[in-house]
């Protein structure tokens, strides 16, 4: 199993230096998100194992959101193939918003999945070198 690395941004203080995550950090990372405020309940991850675009920016983005009250979360993966969000297998609660440092992103109905699957997806993202996790279902968001 590959020990991938990713930069994370989910707290105000990360503007001055983003923490680096490995697969061994995933549980504490998710626990930190769960323990944070509702205005900082989502993270933006960029794999350090993928090449940068000619512009110097990452060629992808992986968003990871958590809801501590309901113990569910959302995922979004964007790269050159398009934008996808997680697809839960139960009826959702309508569109929901998650926040990176008070900046909200709205997710479509049925995008929330159990926290255990969020943890597993982040581990797969890291160990695959920054690829979209394959064991969950994905949907194309109509609102993006």
């Amino acid at each position: 199993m590959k020990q991938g690395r990713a930069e994370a941004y989910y707290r105000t203080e990360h503007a001055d230096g983003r923490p680096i995550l490995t697969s061994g950090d995933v549980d504490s990372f998710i626990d930190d998100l769960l323990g944070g405020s509702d205005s900082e309940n989502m993270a933006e991850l960029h794999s350090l194992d993928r090449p940068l675009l000619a512009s110097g920016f990452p060629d992808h983005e992986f968003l990871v959101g958590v809801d501590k009250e309901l113990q569910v979360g959302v995922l979004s993966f964007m790269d050159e193939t398009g934008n996808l969000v997680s697809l839960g297998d139960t009826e959702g609660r309508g569109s929901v918003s998650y926040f990176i440092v008070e900046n909200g992103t709205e997710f479509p109905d049925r995008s929330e999945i159990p926290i255990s699957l969020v943890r597993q997806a982040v581990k797969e993202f890291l160990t695959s070198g920054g690829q979209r996790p394959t064991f969950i279902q994905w949907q194309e968001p109509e609102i993006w």
Side-chain angles (χ1 to χ4, degrees):
M1 180 182 345
K2 186 174 185 172
Q3 178 74 0
R5 299 178 322 127
E7 279 188 334
Y9 177 68
Y10 58 101
R11 299 280 186 259
T12 305
E13 60 267 20
H14 296 160
D16 295 328
R18 296 180 179 203
I20 305 298
L21 301 177
T22 66
S23 59
D25 301 321
V26 171
D27 288 329
S28 60
F29 159 68
I30 297 294
D31 291 344
D32 190 29
L33 273 178
L34 287 167
S37 73
D38 290 342
S39 66
E40 294 182 329
N41 64 354
M42 187 167 65
E44 175 185 284
L45 302 181
H46 294 114
S47 173
L48 297 175
D49 297 323
R50 290 179 62 136
L52 297 175
L53 297 171
S55 64
F57 290 100
D59 71 342
H60 69 289
E61 180 177 83
F62 188 45
L63 299 180
V64 178
V66 300
D67 183 309
K68 61 185 163 192
E69 299 300 320
L70 299 177
Q71 290 294 294
V72 296
V74 293
L75 302 170
S76 170
F77 188 85
M78 297 170 243
D79 68 5
E80 74 280 353
T81 64
N83 300 341
L84 297 171
V85 297
S86 48
L87 175 64
D89 40 335
T90 60
E91 187 174 323
R93 56 184 173 133
S95 63
V96 292
S97 293
Y98 286 77
F99 299 86
I100 298 175
V101 191
E102 299 183 11
N103 292 307
T105 299
E106 188 175 345
F107 287 81
D109 189 33
R110 295 189 62 210
S111 58
E112 293 175 305
I113 60 175
I115 287 292
S116 61
L117 294 181
V118 172
R119 289 178 193 273
Q120 190 177 345
V122 175
K123 288 176 185 175
E124 183 179 340
F125 172 75
L126 289 164
T127 59
S128 70
Q131 299 303 305
R132 178 172 49 89
T134 58
F135 73 94
I136 66 165
Q137 293 185 322
W138 295 91
Q139 62 181 318
E140 288 187 38
E142 294 177 18
I143 57 174
W144 289 7

